[in-house]
Amino acid sequence: MKTNQMTSFRGIATIGSFCLAAVLGAALLSPSMMVQASEGRIVPAPMQDETVGKGTETAIFAGGCFWGVQGVFQHVGGVISATSGYAGGAADTAKYETVSTGSTGHAEAVKIIYDPSKVTYGHLLQIYFSVVTDPTQLNQQGPDHGTQYRTAIFPTTAMQTTIAKAYIDQLQAAHVYGAPIVTRIESGKFYKAEAHHQDYLALHPTQAYIAVNDIPKVQDLKSMFPGDYRGQPVLVMN
């Protein structure tokens, strides 16, 4: 369910090709208008984490609109790729228009391929809970409402399940937030989203929805985790 004008801009932008300047007009913001108040906070690092290994690993996080989640992790050092998609539902309904009804069981999610020798799963979770999502909002993030915008973690290994559960318990016990954490640990396959949803933040940083809701998250990443911030994002559609 779309609840305000910014969210309606998001719906318009997904129609066909990117003719945002013509469609949105004044909805394109100048860089000076892009800085918004941020609610990000650095949360404690996980006490339990994966052992540094060789090769690559895969993490899947849902944290509201996948545009912003993908955009943040594309700027994290050690991340090889971050792809927008859908997780938690069936293959035949993993389409934006169907998922947007909130009836398919999917969450908008991002699949992250990363190098655990450069960034660990636990640290990705710390970034997720610090700058990507508000884990106290049930079935919504900011202006977006519906089960497809829930916060959820989809572990790809038994170790990730153990780390994620322990970390949520740790944050809950420390009363990091002023309300209970509702982020769920779920299972389900990941399905890549349509091409026009990939690299959306990188391609359209001044589009109104992105400027207000997502650019501040990238700025939080840069200020809170400067050692992890990569200025040039790793893109899907190269």
Side-chain angles (χ1 to χ4, degrees):
M1 181 176 70
K2 308 303 184 184
T3 58
N4 66 11
Q5 190 177 30
M6 289 301 173
T7 320
S8 68
F9 292 154
R10 179 170 182 254
I12 291 171
T14 63
I15 300 174
S17 61
F18 293 115
C19 52
L20 293 177
V23 175
L24 299 176
L28 296 176
L29 305 184
S30 68
S32 63
M33 297 172 65
M34 286 164 45
V35 179
Q36 303 293 322
S38 172
E39 296 181 357
R41 70 185 80 184
I42 299 179
V43 301
M47 292 186 290
Q48 184 171 346
D49 203 350
E50 66 184 339
T51 303
V52 175
K54 297 180 180 180
T56 62
E57 300 287 349
T58 301
I60 301 173
F61 300 142
C65 170
F66 47 25
W67 292 348
V69 180
Q70 181 193 40
V72 169
F73 283 109
Q74 286 180 317
H75 281 280
V76 174
V79 169
I80 297 167
S81 67
T83 305
S84 290
Y86 314 103
D92 61 347
T93 54
K95 304 174 181 66
Y96 183 77
E97 290 76 12
T98 311
V99 171
S100 293
T101 67
S103 63
T104 67
H106 294 92
E108 290 195 11
V110 172
K111 182 175 74 172
I112 301 159
I113 308 297
Y114 66 98
D115 180 348
S117 70
K118 296 180 179 179
V119 61
T120 64
Y121 184 70
H123 192 55
L124 291 175
L125 283 173
Q126 185 184 20
I127 292 171
Y128 170 81
F129 281 111
S130 295
V131 305
V132 172
T133 194
D134 180 347
T136 69
Q137 292 189 334
L138 180 64
N139 295 332
Q140 74 171 95
Q141 282 295 293
D144 297 322
H145 292 243
T147 58
Q148 68 273 29
Y149 299 115
R150 66 188 182 273
T151 65
I153 298 166
F154 293 83
T156 62
T157 67
M159 179 60 71
Q160 287 187 3
T161 300
T162 299
I163 293 168
K165 286 182 176 178
Y167 193 37
I168 290 174
D169 289 344
Q170 175 189 334
L171 296 178
Q172 199 82 277
H175 302 290
V176 172
Y177 304 96
I181 294 173
V182 297
T183 303
R184 303 192 316 210
I185 297 174
E186 303 184 27
S187 61
K189 291 185 178 181
F190 176 87
Y191 305 97
K192 185 177 179 180
E194 298 82 350
H196 58 269
H197 287 299
Q198 306 300 336
D199 304 328
Y200 197 87
L201 182 149
L203 293 173
H204 306 288
T206 59
Q207 193 258 0
Y209 178 94
I210 294 294
V212 172
N213 295 290
D214 295 327
I215 291 297
K217 297 176 183 179
V218 177
Q219 294 170 331
D220 281 345
L221 173 69
K222 184 177 181 179
S223 63
M224 295 180 186
F225 299 95
D228 298 297
Y229 179 77
R230 173 172 49 200
Q232 187 66 32
V234 55
L235 302 181
V236 174
M237 304 300 287
N238 282 336

PDB file of all heavy atoms in Angstrom, residues 60-98:
ATOM      1  N   ILE A  60      21.407 -12.799   2.226  1.00  0.00           N
ATOM      2  CA  ILE A  60      20.160 -12.259   1.679  1.00  0.00           C
ATOM      3  C   ILE A  60      19.435 -11.507   2.779  1.00  0.00           C
ATOM      4  O   ILE A  60      19.095 -12.073   3.818  1.00  0.00           O
ATOM      5  CB  ILE A  60      19.263 -13.381   1.112  1.00  0.00           C
ATOM      6  CG1 ILE A  60      19.987 -14.139   0.004  1.00  0.00           C
ATOM      7  CG2 ILE A  60      17.948 -12.788   0.578  1.00  0.00           C
ATOM      8  CD1 ILE A  60      19.242 -15.365  -0.500  1.00  0.00           C
ATOM      9  N   PHE A  61      19.211 -10.217   2.549  1.00  0.00           N
ATOM     10  CA  PHE A  61      18.549  -9.356   3.526  1.00  0.00           C
ATOM     11  C   PHE A  61      17.346  -8.668   2.885  1.00  0.00           C
ATOM     12  O   PHE A  61      17.410  -8.209   1.748  1.00  0.00           O
ATOM     13  CB  PHE A  61      19.492  -8.260   4.032  1.00  0.00           C
ATOM     14  CG  PHE A  61      20.738  -8.757   4.711  1.00  0.00           C
ATOM     15  CD1 PHE A  61      21.944  -8.100   4.529  1.00  0.00           C
ATOM     16  CD2 PHE A  61      20.715  -9.868   5.538  1.00  0.00           C
ATOM     17  CE1 PHE A  61      23.103  -8.532   5.157  1.00  0.00           C
ATOM     18  CE2 PHE A  61      21.851 -10.321   6.177  1.00  0.00           C
ATOM     19  CZ  PHE A  61      23.057  -9.649   5.986  1.00  0.00           C
ATOM     20  N   ALA A  62      16.266  -8.571   3.640  1.00  0.00           N
ATOM     21  CA  ALA A  62      15.108  -7.760   3.269  1.00  0.00           C
ATOM     22  C   ALA A  62      14.985  -6.641   4.284  1.00  0.00           C
ATOM     23  O   ALA A  62      14.992  -6.898   5.492  1.00  0.00           O
ATOM     24  CB  ALA A  62      13.833  -8.605   3.253  1.00  0.00           C
ATOM     25  N   GLY A  63      14.886  -5.422   3.790  1.00  0.00           N
ATOM     26  CA  GLY A  63      14.827  -4.290   4.709  1.00  0.00           C
ATOM     27  C   GLY A  63      14.020  -3.140   4.160  1.00  0.00           C
ATOM     28  O   GLY A  63      14.440  -1.987   4.231  1.00  0.00           O
ATOM     29  N   GLY A  64      12.849  -3.433   3.606  1.00  0.00           N
ATOM     30  CA  GLY A  64      12.052  -2.400   2.967  1.00  0.00           C
ATOM     31  C   GLY A  64      12.326  -2.373   1.476  1.00  0.00           C
ATOM     32  O   GLY A  64      12.722  -3.375   0.878  1.00  0.00           O
ATOM     33  N   CYS A  65      12.137  -1.226   0.858  1.00  0.00           N
ATOM     34  CA  CYS A  65      12.357  -1.079  -0.581  1.00  0.00           C
ATOM     35  C   CYS A  65      13.755  -1.547  -0.966  1.00  0.00           C
ATOM     36  O   CYS A  65      14.750  -1.081  -0.415  1.00  0.00           O
ATOM     37  CB  CYS A  65      12.168   0.380  -0.974  1.00  0.00           C
ATOM     38  SG  CYS A  65      12.679   0.743  -2.652  1.00  0.00           S
ATOM     39  N   PHE A  66      13.832  -2.450  -1.935  1.00  0.00           N
ATOM     40  CA  PHE A  66      15.142  -3.002  -2.291  1.00  0.00           C
ATOM     41  C   PHE A  66      16.058  -1.997  -2.966  1.00  0.00           C
ATOM     42  O   PHE A  66      17.268  -2.195  -3.020  1.00  0.00           O
ATOM     43  CB  PHE A  66      15.039  -4.280  -3.114  1.00  0.00           C
ATOM     44  CG  PHE A  66      14.081  -4.295  -4.283  1.00  0.00           C
ATOM     45  CD1 PHE A  66      13.697  -3.141  -4.952  1.00  0.00           C
ATOM     46  CD2 PHE A  66      13.563  -5.509  -4.726  1.00  0.00           C
ATOM     47  CE1 PHE A  66      12.827  -3.190  -6.034  1.00  0.00           C
ATOM     48  CE2 PHE A  66      12.703  -5.576  -5.819  1.00  0.00           C
ATOM     49  CZ  PHE A  66      12.337  -4.410  -6.469  1.00  0.00           C
ATOM     50  N   TRP A  67      15.536  -0.887  -3.469  1.00  0.00           N
ATOM     51  CA  TRP A  67      16.385   0.130  -4.074  1.00  0.00           C
ATOM     52  C   TRP A  67      17.436   0.614  -3.080  1.00  0.00           C
ATOM     53  O   TRP A  67      18.614   0.707  -3.396  1.00  0.00           O
ATOM     54  CB  TRP A  67      15.564   1.311  -4.536  1.00  0.00           C
ATOM     55  CG  TRP A  67      14.648   1.050  -5.690  1.00  0.00           C
ATOM     56  CD1 TRP A  67      14.635  -0.045  -6.514  1.00  0.00           C
ATOM     57  CD2 TRP A  67      13.606   1.909  -6.146  1.00  0.00           C
ATOM     58  NE1 TRP A  67      13.652   0.091  -7.455  1.00  0.00           N
ATOM     59  CE2 TRP A  67      13.008   1.266  -7.262  1.00  0.00           C
ATOM     60  CE3 TRP A  67      13.122   3.143  -5.737  1.00  0.00           C
ATOM     61  CZ2 TRP A  67      11.945   1.847  -7.971  1.00  0.00           C
ATOM     62  CZ3 TRP A  67      12.074   3.730  -6.427  1.00  0.00           C
ATOM     63  CH2 TRP A  67      11.481   3.086  -7.539  1.00  0.00           C
ATOM     64  N   GLY A  68      16.991   0.954  -1.873  1.00  0.00           N
ATOM     65  CA  GLY A  68      17.908   1.487  -0.880  1.00  0.00           C
ATOM     66  C   GLY A  68      18.819   0.430  -0.286  1.00  0.00           C
ATOM     67  O   GLY A  68      20.001   0.688  -0.031  1.00  0.00           O
ATOM     68  N   VAL A  69      18.282  -0.770  -0.039  1.00  0.00           N
ATOM     69  CA  VAL A  69      19.090  -1.852   0.530  1.00  0.00           C
ATOM     70  C   VAL A  69      20.229  -2.193  -0.432  1.00  0.00           C
ATOM     71  O   VAL A  69      21.398  -2.294  -0.037  1.00  0.00           O
ATOM     72  CB  VAL A  69      18.226  -3.093   0.820  1.00  0.00           C
ATOM     73  CG1 VAL A  69      19.090  -4.199   1.416  1.00  0.00           C
ATOM     74  CG2 VAL A  69      17.081  -2.741   1.765  1.00  0.00           C
ATOM     75  N   GLN A  70      19.889  -2.355  -1.703  1.00  0.00           N
ATOM     76  CA  GLN A  70      20.922  -2.628  -2.704  1.00  0.00           C
ATOM     77  C   GLN A  70      21.919  -1.478  -2.770  1.00  0.00           C
ATOM     78  O   GLN A  70      23.137  -1.689  -2.796  1.00  0.00           O
ATOM     79  CB  GLN A  70      20.287  -2.826  -4.078  1.00  0.00           C
ATOM     80  CG  GLN A  70      21.317  -3.146  -5.168  1.00  0.00           C
ATOM     81  CD  GLN A  70      20.753  -3.044  -6.579  1.00  0.00           C
ATOM     82  OE1 GLN A  70      19.976  -2.139  -6.892  1.00  0.00           O
ATOM     83  NE2 GLN A  70      21.132  -3.973  -7.434  1.00  0.00           N
ATOM     84  N   GLY A  71      21.424  -0.252  -2.785  1.00  0.00           N
ATOM     85  CA  GLY A  71      22.283   0.917  -2.916  1.00  0.00           C
ATOM     86  C   GLY A  71      23.305   1.033  -1.804  1.00  0.00           C
ATOM     87  O   GLY A  71      24.457   1.417  -2.048  1.00  0.00           O
ATOM     88  N   VAL A  72      22.911   0.693  -0.583  1.00  0.00           N
ATOM     89  CA  VAL A  72      23.855   0.750   0.533  1.00  0.00           C
ATOM     90  C   VAL A  72      24.929  -0.312   0.366  1.00  0.00           C
ATOM     91  O   VAL A  72      26.138  -0.025   0.423  1.00  0.00           O
ATOM     92  CB  VAL A  72      23.130   0.575   1.881  1.00  0.00           C
ATOM     93  CG1 VAL A  72      24.146   0.352   3.007  1.00  0.00           C
ATOM     94  CG2 VAL A  72      22.282   1.792   2.202  1.00  0.00           C
ATOM     95  N   PHE A  73      24.531  -1.561   0.154  1.00  0.00           N
ATOM     96  CA  PHE A  73      25.509  -2.640   0.126  1.00  0.00           C
ATOM     97  C   PHE A  73      26.408  -2.583  -1.111  1.00  0.00           C
ATOM     98  O   PHE A  73      27.509  -3.131  -1.105  1.00  0.00           O
ATOM     99  CB  PHE A  73      24.823  -3.993   0.265  1.00  0.00           C
ATOM    100  CG  PHE A  73      24.404  -4.278   1.675  1.00  0.00           C
ATOM    101  CD1 PHE A  73      23.066  -4.266   2.036  1.00  0.00           C
ATOM    102  CD2 PHE A  73      25.351  -4.522   2.653  1.00  0.00           C
ATOM    103  CE1 PHE A  73      22.676  -4.501   3.345  1.00  0.00           C
ATOM    104  CE2 PHE A  73      24.974  -4.763   3.975  1.00  0.00           C
ATOM    105  CZ  PHE A  73      23.636  -4.754   4.318  1.00  0.00           C
ATOM    106  N   GLN A  74      25.975  -1.893  -2.163  1.00  0.00           N
ATOM    107  CA  GLN A  74      26.855  -1.702  -3.310  1.00  0.00           C
ATOM    108  C   GLN A  74      28.049  -0.815  -2.978  1.00  0.00           C
ATOM    109  O   GLN A  74      29.029  -0.786  -3.712  1.00  0.00           O
ATOM    110  CB  GLN A  74      26.067  -1.112  -4.485  1.00  0.00           C
ATOM    111  CG  GLN A  74      25.146  -2.117  -5.156  1.00  0.00           C
ATOM    112  CD  GLN A  74      24.369  -1.520  -6.308  1.00  0.00           C
ATOM    113  OE1 GLN A  74      23.845  -0.407  -6.219  1.00  0.00           O
ATOM    114  NE2 GLN A  74      24.284  -2.240  -7.409  1.00  0.00           N
ATOM    115  N   HIS A  75      27.950  -0.095  -1.860  1.00  0.00           N
ATOM    116  CA  HIS A  75      29.035   0.784  -1.428  1.00  0.00           C
ATOM    117  C   HIS A  75      29.888   0.168  -0.320  1.00  0.00           C
ATOM    118  O   HIS A  75      30.761   0.844   0.226  1.00  0.00           O
ATOM    119  CB  HIS A  75      28.464   2.122  -0.941  1.00  0.00           C
ATOM    120  CG  HIS A  75      28.081   3.064  -2.048  1.00  0.00           C
ATOM    121  ND1 HIS A  75      29.003   3.838  -2.721  1.00  0.00           N
ATOM    122  CD2 HIS A  75      26.876   3.340  -2.591  1.00  0.00           C
ATOM    123  CE1 HIS A  75      28.385   4.570  -3.632  1.00  0.00           C
ATOM    124  NE2 HIS A  75      27.096   4.283  -3.589  1.00  0.00           N
ATOM    125  N   VAL A  76      29.639  -1.075   0.049  1.00  0.00           N
ATOM    126  CA  VAL A  76      30.380  -1.707   1.140  1.00  0.00           C
ATOM    127  C   VAL A  76      31.582  -2.468   0.586  1.00  0.00           C
ATOM    128  O   VAL A  76      31.439  -3.330  -0.287  1.00  0.00           O
ATOM    129  CB  VAL A  76      29.470  -2.661   1.941  1.00  0.00           C
ATOM    130  CG1 VAL A  76      30.286  -3.426   2.986  1.00  0.00           C
ATOM    131  CG2 VAL A  76      28.346  -1.877   2.620  1.00  0.00           C
ATOM    132  N   GLY A  77      32.760  -2.160   1.097  1.00  0.00           N
ATOM    133  CA  GLY A  77      33.953  -2.875   0.686  1.00  0.00           C
ATOM    134  C   GLY A  77      33.859  -4.350   1.025  1.00  0.00           C
ATOM    135  O   GLY A  77      33.354  -4.715   2.085  1.00  0.00           O
ATOM    136  N   GLY A  78      34.341  -5.185   0.138  1.00  0.00           N
ATOM    137  CA  GLY A  78      34.251  -6.630   0.331  1.00  0.00           C
ATOM    138  C   GLY A  78      33.023  -7.244  -0.307  1.00  0.00           C
ATOM    139  O   GLY A  78      32.943  -8.462  -0.456  1.00  0.00           O
ATOM    140  N   VAL A  79      32.041  -6.409  -0.679  1.00  0.00           N
ATOM    141  CA  VAL A  79      30.854  -6.889  -1.388  1.00  0.00           C
ATOM    142  C   VAL A  79      31.199  -6.978  -2.869  1.00  0.00           C
ATOM    143  O   VAL A  79      31.662  -6.008  -3.478  1.00  0.00           O
ATOM    144  CB  VAL A  79      29.647  -5.964  -1.158  1.00  0.00           C
ATOM    145  CG1 VAL A  79      28.500  -6.302  -2.110  1.00  0.00           C
ATOM    146  CG2 VAL A  79      29.174  -6.063   0.288  1.00  0.00           C
ATOM    147  N   ILE A  80      30.967  -8.125  -3.440  1.00  0.00           N
ATOM    148  CA  ILE A  80      31.275  -8.369  -4.853  1.00  0.00           C
ATOM    149  C   ILE A  80      30.092  -7.999  -5.734  1.00  0.00           C
ATOM    150  O   ILE A  80      30.253  -7.467  -6.831  1.00  0.00           O
ATOM    151  CB  ILE A  80      31.675  -9.841  -5.055  1.00  0.00           C
ATOM    152  CG1 ILE A  80      32.953 -10.127  -4.254  1.00  0.00           C
ATOM    153  CG2 ILE A  80      31.857 -10.171  -6.529  1.00  0.00           C
ATOM    154  CD1 ILE A  80      33.271 -11.594  -4.124  1.00  0.00           C
ATOM    155  N   SER A  81      28.888  -8.280  -5.257  1.00  0.00           N
ATOM    156  CA  SER A  81      27.685  -7.886  -5.987  1.00  0.00           C
ATOM    157  C   SER A  81      26.524  -7.790  -5.015  1.00  0.00           C
ATOM    158  O   SER A  81      26.502  -8.463  -3.978  1.00  0.00           O
ATOM    159  CB  SER A  81      27.349  -8.879  -7.103  1.00  0.00           C
ATOM    160  OG  SER A  81      26.970 -10.140  -6.562  1.00  0.00           O
ATOM    161  N   ALA A  82      25.557  -6.951  -5.359  1.00  0.00           N
ATOM    162  CA  ALA A  82      24.317  -6.819  -4.583  1.00  0.00           C
ATOM    163  C   ALA A  82      23.178  -6.710  -5.586  1.00  0.00           C
ATOM    164  O   ALA A  82      23.160  -5.780  -6.406  1.00  0.00           O
ATOM    165  CB  ALA A  82      24.356  -5.597  -3.670  1.00  0.00           C
ATOM    166  N   THR A  83      22.254  -7.642  -5.533  1.00  0.00           N
ATOM    167  CA  THR A  83      21.213  -7.767  -6.545  1.00  0.00           C
ATOM    168  C   THR A  83      19.841  -7.665  -5.921  1.00  0.00           C
ATOM    169  O   THR A  83      19.547  -8.350  -4.935  1.00  0.00           O
ATOM    170  CB  THR A  83      21.337  -9.129  -7.269  1.00  0.00           C
ATOM    171  OG1 THR A  83      22.659  -9.260  -7.793  1.00  0.00           O
ATOM    172  CG2 THR A  83      20.325  -9.247  -8.390  1.00  0.00           C
ATOM    173  N   SER A  84      18.983  -6.818  -6.461  1.00  0.00           N
ATOM    174  CA  SER A  84      17.620  -6.684  -5.969  1.00  0.00           C
ATOM    175  C   SER A  84      16.753  -7.847  -6.441  1.00  0.00           C
ATOM    176  O   SER A  84      16.914  -8.338  -7.564  1.00  0.00           O
ATOM    177  CB  SER A  84      17.004  -5.364  -6.457  1.00  0.00           C
ATOM    178  OG  SER A  84      17.603  -4.259  -5.829  1.00  0.00           O
ATOM    179  N   GLY A  85      15.832  -8.269  -5.576  1.00  0.00           N
ATOM    180  CA  GLY A  85      14.949  -9.362  -5.952  1.00  0.00           C
ATOM    181  C   GLY A  85      13.878  -9.617  -4.918  1.00  0.00           C
ATOM    182  O   GLY A  85      13.534  -8.729  -4.127  1.00  0.00           O
ATOM    183  N   TYR A  86      13.375 -10.835  -4.922  1.00  0.00           N
ATOM    184  CA  TYR A  86      12.257 -11.221  -4.069  1.00  0.00           C
ATOM    185  C   TYR A  86      12.595 -12.537  -3.373  1.00  0.00           C
ATOM    186  O   TYR A  86      13.141 -13.455  -3.986  1.00  0.00           O
ATOM    187  CB  TYR A  86      10.984 -11.381  -4.902  1.00  0.00           C
ATOM    188  CG  TYR A  86      10.764 -10.254  -5.879  1.00  0.00           C
ATOM    189  CD1 TYR A  86      11.040 -10.409  -7.241  1.00  0.00           C
ATOM    190  CD2 TYR A  86      10.314  -9.007  -5.450  1.00  0.00           C
ATOM    191  CE1 TYR A  86      10.863  -9.377  -8.141  1.00  0.00           C
ATOM    192  CE2 TYR A  86      10.136  -7.956  -6.347  1.00  0.00           C
ATOM    193  CZ  TYR A  86      10.413  -8.150  -7.686  1.00  0.00           C
ATOM    194  OH  TYR A  86      10.247  -7.104  -8.571  1.00  0.00           O
ATOM    195  N   ALA A  87      12.251 -12.643  -2.092  1.00  0.00           N
ATOM    196  CA  ALA A  87      12.524 -13.863  -1.336  1.00  0.00           C
ATOM    197  C   ALA A  87      11.332 -14.188  -0.448  1.00  0.00           C
ATOM    198  O   ALA A  87      10.632 -13.288   0.032  1.00  0.00           O
ATOM    199  CB  ALA A  87      13.782 -13.699  -0.479  1.00  0.00           C
ATOM    200  N   GLY A  88      11.111 -15.476  -0.232  1.00  0.00           N
ATOM    201  CA  GLY A  88      10.066 -15.903   0.682  1.00  0.00           C
ATOM    202  C   GLY A  88       8.794 -16.385   0.032  1.00  0.00           C
ATOM    203  O   GLY A  88       7.882 -16.828   0.729  1.00  0.00           O
ATOM    204  N   GLY A  89       8.702 -16.302  -1.277  1.00  0.00           N
ATOM    205  CA  GLY A  89       7.506 -16.747  -1.986  1.00  0.00           C
ATOM    206  C   GLY A  89       7.868 -17.675  -3.122  1.00  0.00           C
ATOM    207  O   GLY A  89       9.003 -18.127  -3.245  1.00  0.00           O
ATOM    208  N   ALA A  90       6.894 -17.938  -3.971  1.00  0.00           N
ATOM    209  CA  ALA A  90       7.081 -18.887  -5.074  1.00  0.00           C
ATOM    210  C   ALA A  90       7.659 -18.218  -6.313  1.00  0.00           C
ATOM    211  O   ALA A  90       7.581 -16.998  -6.474  1.00  0.00           O
ATOM    212  CB  ALA A  90       5.737 -19.531  -5.420  1.00  0.00           C
ATOM    213  N   ALA A  91       8.202 -19.029  -7.199  1.00  0.00           N
ATOM    214  CA  ALA A  91       8.842 -18.519  -8.412  1.00  0.00           C
ATOM    215  C   ALA A  91       7.840 -17.840  -9.346  1.00  0.00           C
ATOM    216  O   ALA A  91       8.138 -16.797  -9.942  1.00  0.00           O
ATOM    217  CB  ALA A  91       9.542 -19.655  -9.150  1.00  0.00           C
ATOM    218  N   ASP A  92       6.641 -18.404  -9.472  1.00  0.00           N
ATOM    219  CA  ASP A  92       5.705 -17.892 -10.475  1.00  0.00           C
ATOM    220  C   ASP A  92       5.065 -16.569 -10.094  1.00  0.00           C
ATOM    221  O   ASP A  92       4.448 -15.911 -10.938  1.00  0.00           O
ATOM    222  CB  ASP A  92       4.628 -18.930 -10.794  1.00  0.00           C
ATOM    223  CG  ASP A  92       3.794 -19.314  -9.581  1.00  0.00           C
ATOM    224  OD1 ASP A  92       4.185 -18.968  -8.444  1.00  0.00           O
ATOM    225  OD2 ASP A  92       2.759 -19.975  -9.765  1.00  0.00           O
ATOM    226  N   THR A  93       5.206 -16.153  -8.828  1.00  0.00           N
ATOM    227  CA  THR A  93       4.655 -14.854  -8.422  1.00  0.00           C
ATOM    228  C   THR A  93       5.750 -13.849  -8.083  1.00  0.00           C
ATOM    229  O   THR A  93       5.464 -12.780  -7.539  1.00  0.00           O
ATOM    230  CB  THR A  93       3.716 -15.016  -7.213  1.00  0.00           C
ATOM    231  OG1 THR A  93       4.409 -15.700  -6.153  1.00  0.00           O
ATOM    232  CG2 THR A  93       2.460 -15.776  -7.587  1.00  0.00           C
ATOM    233  N   ALA A  94       6.988 -14.174  -8.410  1.00  0.00           N
ATOM    234  CA  ALA A  94       8.114 -13.285  -8.109  1.00  0.00           C
ATOM    235  C   ALA A  94       8.237 -12.214  -9.186  1.00  0.00           C
ATOM    236  O   ALA A  94       9.217 -12.148  -9.932  1.00  0.00           O
ATOM    237  CB  ALA A  94       9.401 -14.080  -7.976  1.00  0.00           C
ATOM    238  N   LYS A  95       7.215 -11.393  -9.293  1.00  0.00           N
ATOM    239  CA  LYS A  95       7.162 -10.298 -10.241  1.00  0.00           C
ATOM    240  C   LYS A  95       6.709  -9.051  -9.496  1.00  0.00           C
ATOM    241  O   LYS A  95       5.843  -9.133  -8.613  1.00  0.00           O
ATOM    242  CB  LYS A  95       6.184 -10.609 -11.382  1.00  0.00           C
ATOM    243  CG  LYS A  95       6.483 -11.904 -12.130  1.00  0.00           C
ATOM    244  CD  LYS A  95       5.403 -12.218 -13.126  1.00  0.00           C
ATOM    245  CE  LYS A  95       5.672 -13.532 -13.864  1.00  0.00           C
ATOM    246  NZ  LYS A  95       5.608 -14.698 -12.952  1.00  0.00           N
ATOM    247  N   TYR A  96       7.273  -7.900  -9.860  1.00  0.00           N
ATOM    248  CA  TYR A  96       7.032  -6.689  -9.075  1.00  0.00           C
ATOM    249  C   TYR A  96       5.546  -6.383  -8.898  1.00  0.00           C
ATOM    250  O   TYR A  96       5.090  -6.113  -7.787  1.00  0.00           O
ATOM    251  CB  TYR A  96       7.735  -5.483  -9.704  1.00  0.00           C
ATOM    252  CG  TYR A  96       7.564  -4.229  -8.869  1.00  0.00           C
ATOM    253  CD1 TYR A  96       8.304  -4.036  -7.713  1.00  0.00           C
ATOM    254  CD2 TYR A  96       6.632  -3.260  -9.220  1.00  0.00           C
ATOM    255  CE1 TYR A  96       8.135  -2.906  -6.935  1.00  0.00           C
ATOM    256  CE2 TYR A  96       6.450  -2.130  -8.446  1.00  0.00           C
ATOM    257  CZ  TYR A  96       7.208  -1.951  -7.308  1.00  0.00           C
ATOM    258  OH  TYR A  96       7.025  -0.837  -6.532  1.00  0.00           O
ATOM    259  N   GLU A  97       4.791  -6.412  -9.979  1.00  0.00           N
ATOM    260  CA  GLU A  97       3.374  -6.041  -9.885  1.00  0.00           C
ATOM    261  C   GLU A  97       2.614  -6.986  -8.954  1.00  0.00           C
ATOM    262  O   GLU A  97       1.706  -6.568  -8.235  1.00  0.00           O
ATOM    263  CB  GLU A  97       2.734  -6.044 -11.273  1.00  0.00           C
ATOM    264  CG  GLU A  97       3.199  -4.928 -12.200  1.00  0.00           C
ATOM    265  CD  GLU A  97       4.591  -5.170 -12.769  1.00  0.00           C
ATOM    266  OE1 GLU A  97       5.122  -6.306 -12.628  1.00  0.00           O
ATOM    267  OE2 GLU A  97       5.154  -4.226 -13.347  1.00  0.00           O
ATOM    268  N   THR A  98       2.978  -8.279  -8.964  1.00  0.00           N
ATOM    269  CA  THR A  98       2.295  -9.255  -8.119  1.00  0.00           C
ATOM    270  C   THR A  98       2.772  -9.156  -6.682  1.00  0.00           C
ATOM    271  O   THR A  98       1.966  -9.155  -5.736  1.00  0.00           O
ATOM    272  CB  THR A  98       2.538 -10.679  -8.648  1.00  0.00           C
ATOM    273  OG1 THR A  98       2.287 -10.714 -10.050  1.00  0.00           O
ATOM    274  CG2 THR A  98       1.628 -11.680  -7.958  1.00  0.00           C
TER     275      THR A  98
END
